[in-house]
Structures are given as structure tokens and as C-alpha cells.
Amino acid sequence: MRLALALLCATAAAPPVLAQQTDADALYDALDLGTVIEVMREEGLDYGEDLGQDLLGGQGGTAWTNLVDGLYDTGRMGDIVRARFTQELSDVDTAPLVEFFKGDLGQRVIRLENEARQALTDEEIEDAAAARVTQMRADDDPRIDLIGTFIEANDLVESNVVGAMNSNYAFYTGLLDGDVVDGGMTEEQALSDVWAQEEAIREDTRDWVYSYLTLAYQPLSDEELNRYIDISRTDAGQAMNQALFDAFDEMYVDLSRRLGEGAARMMASEDI
């Protein structure tokens, strides 16, 4: 191509690409993913505490607490998620999604989702939410079917199962790199062990997702929830959903591997 024509094409092509990238960033902000990551940090700190008891026998002390606190850094977590999320959506017209999630219903949905996720960090609330789902099923409450439709439209169970298994395997690889697993476990054995957890993970995931969404969307009317389902089923909605899973999967795999590596170092140094 002639240089002038090439420059003209580059100039003409630049604005749409930049606009889409800006829309992806705007969508990230409209979804309030920063707040989601803050809740994930709280969940991670709780998980790290439990892991320290189970794997280190509670002997990790301040060193383990500091390691977990440093890993679950919202700045680094957010950088990973935003970069992958915007990259995945760089060729997607996200303007309709930005419009929806910046609108009254979209903002209400995001607020309800964040409040519910925060609430479920309380074990009593989680148990109560699970009990409510059980009762709704016993009563043949049609709302359960609508929640199920939302879950299916967004592939929330299977995608989360895959993400959990990826994270579990990443944790194993971190431990294996430290050569502290009893019996000299190989990567193949670790992978087999992760696959053995699949059904239990799926059951736990299904229960949690139903509890979470039933709690979150309780204030929404069926018409409002159907509007959310409709936009989730669009090509852009499906692309956004996949981008979210890919971005958070990358973040959790990174965290899990680093947790495994940190645990291995401590187990080796303390001879736990």
C-alpha cells in the first residue's frame, strides 16, 4: 500500500478500536469489579487462615498471615482482572452492556450482587440462604426455576467448577515445586486427585450459586430478572460473561500457585 493510504487507513481505524477499549474499561467500572475484588480479598484471607490450620497445623504464625495478606493485594488482583477482561472484550461492542449496567436496573443488580456476596461471608447468613433455597424447592416456588434459567444462561455452575479445579491444580503445582508433598506426589497424581474432587466441587458450587443468587435477586421482580437474563443471552453478554470467567480464573490460578509455593517454603523451613 502507498504510505499515504496506509496512514489514512490507520487514522480512520483508530477511533473505533480506542472507543471499544474505552467501553471495556467503562464496563469494568460499571460492573463495580473493584468492590467484587475487595470481597474476594476477605474471602481469601479467611481461606488462608483455614489453610494455615489444615496444612501448617497453625504453626505458620505471623509469617503465614503476612504472606496471605500480601498475596491477596487488591491492587495486583485488580490489575490482573482488568487487563484480561479488557483484552478479551477489545473486539466486542460493549456499548449496550455499558448502557444497561450504568442504568437504574443495572446499577441495582450490581449493588444487590455485591451486598449478597458480602453477606455470604457470614456463615449464619449462608446457612439461612441455603435453607431458603431448600424450602423454595419443597414449595415448588417458580422463582427457583427463573434463577435456574439465569444460571444456565450464564453457565455459572460448570464455569465455576472448571475455575475451582484449575485453582486447585495450581495450588498443587505450587506445593510440588517445593517438593514437600508426602510420598513424592507427581503432577499426574495431583491432576488425578483434582479430577476426583470434581463432583464434590460441582455440588458445592451449585448449592452456593443458588443460595447467592436467590439472596441477591430477592428484591427484583420477575420482569426485572428476565430483562437481566435477556441481556445475558446476547452475543455481547455472553462475551462479557466469558471474559469475566477468564479474568478471574487467571487471577485465582495465580493466587493459588503462589499460595502453594508459599506453603511449601514454610513447610520446608519449619519442617512441619
Side-chain angles (χ1 to χ4, degrees):
M1 294 179 65
R2 295 284 188 264
L3 177 60
L5 180 57
L7 289 175
L8 178 61
C9 289
T11 302
V17 173
L18 291 175
Q20 288 179 351
Q21 184 66 29
T22 300
D23 281 346
D25 281 315
L27 181 58
Y28 181 97
D29 294 333
L31 293 172
D32 197 14
L33 294 182
T35 297
V36 176
I37 289 171
E38 289 174 4
V39 177
M40 288 178 170
R41 168 178 161 79
E42 293 182 34
E43 295 169 346
L45 295 180
D46 289 341
Y47 170 68
E49 183 177 350
D50 291 341
L51 187 64
Q53 292 293 328
D54 295 341
L55 196 61
L56 305 176
Q59 299 180 44
T62 303
W64 176 252
T65 300
N66 290 342
L67 184 147
V68 173
D69 182 74
L71 287 180
Y72 285 92
D73 176 75
T74 55
R76 189 174 65 84
M77 293 163 67
D79 287 344
I80 293 173
V81 173
R82 184 185 285 271
R84 181 66 180 270
F85 181 76
T86 54
Q87 175 189 351
E88 295 267 332
L89 294 176
S90 60
D91 295 325
V92 176
D93 179 10
T94 58
L97 298 174
V98 173
E99 181 180 4
F100 175 82
F101 285 106
K102 280 191 172 182
D104 291 341
L105 177 57
Q107 284 296 290
R108 188 179 179 211
V109 163
I110 295 303
R111 177 177 55 80
L112 291 172
E113 289 175 348
N114 287 342
E115 289 175 352
R117 182 145 190 166
Q118 178 67 61
L120 288 181
T121 59
D122 185 315
E123 188 173 342
E124 290 186 6
I125 295 178
E126 183 176 5
D127 290 342
R132 180 168 181 265
V133 170
T134 299
Q135 187 60 54
M136 291 173 72
R137 286 194 171 117
D139 295 339
D140 291 326
D141 190 327
R143 184 69 167 199
I144 282 293
D145 292 335
L146 191 55
I147 294 293
T149 299
F150 181 86
I151 290 171
E152 182 179 353
N154 292 281
D155 195 26
L156 294 182
V157 174
E158 292 307 313
S159 293
N160 275 297
V161 169
V162 171
M165 293 175 69
N166 286 342
S167 294
N168 287 354
Y169 182 67
F171 181 78
Y172 269 120
T173 59
L175 284 178
L176 289 170
D177 287 344
D179 196 26
V180 295
V181 181
D182 291 339
M185 177 181 279
T186 65
E187 288 189 15
E188 291 75 16
Q189 289 170 324
L191 187 59
S192 177
D193 190 60
V194 169
W195 275 109
Q197 303 168 26
E198 181 183 10
E199 280 309 310
I201 291 173
R202 179 173 287 104
E203 183 177 348
D204 288 345
T205 299
R206 185 182 296 110
D207 290 345
W208 188 89
V209 168
Y210 267 97
S211 296
Y212 166 56
L213 296 182
T214 301
L215 177 64
Y217 301 152
Q218 183 176 358
L220 297 180
S221 68
D222 288 354
E223 188 273 335
E224 288 172 325
L225 186 50
N226 273 310
R227 284 176 58 194
Y228 194 10
I229 291 171
D230 287 342
I231 197 163
S232 297
R233 283 174 166 163
T234 64
D235 289 343
Q238 292 292 296
M240 177 193 73
N241 194 51
Q242 188 61 53
L244 285 169
F245 278 118
D246 290 345
F248 282 109
D249 184 57
E250 181 175 333
M251 182 196 77
Y252 273 122
V253 165
D254 176 74
L255 286 170
S256 296
R257 184 177 57 253
R258 290 169 181 263
L259 273 174
E261 292 169 349
R265 289 195 300 271
M266 297 198 67
M267 291 168 74
S269 64
E270 299 294 333
D271 194 27
I272 294 175

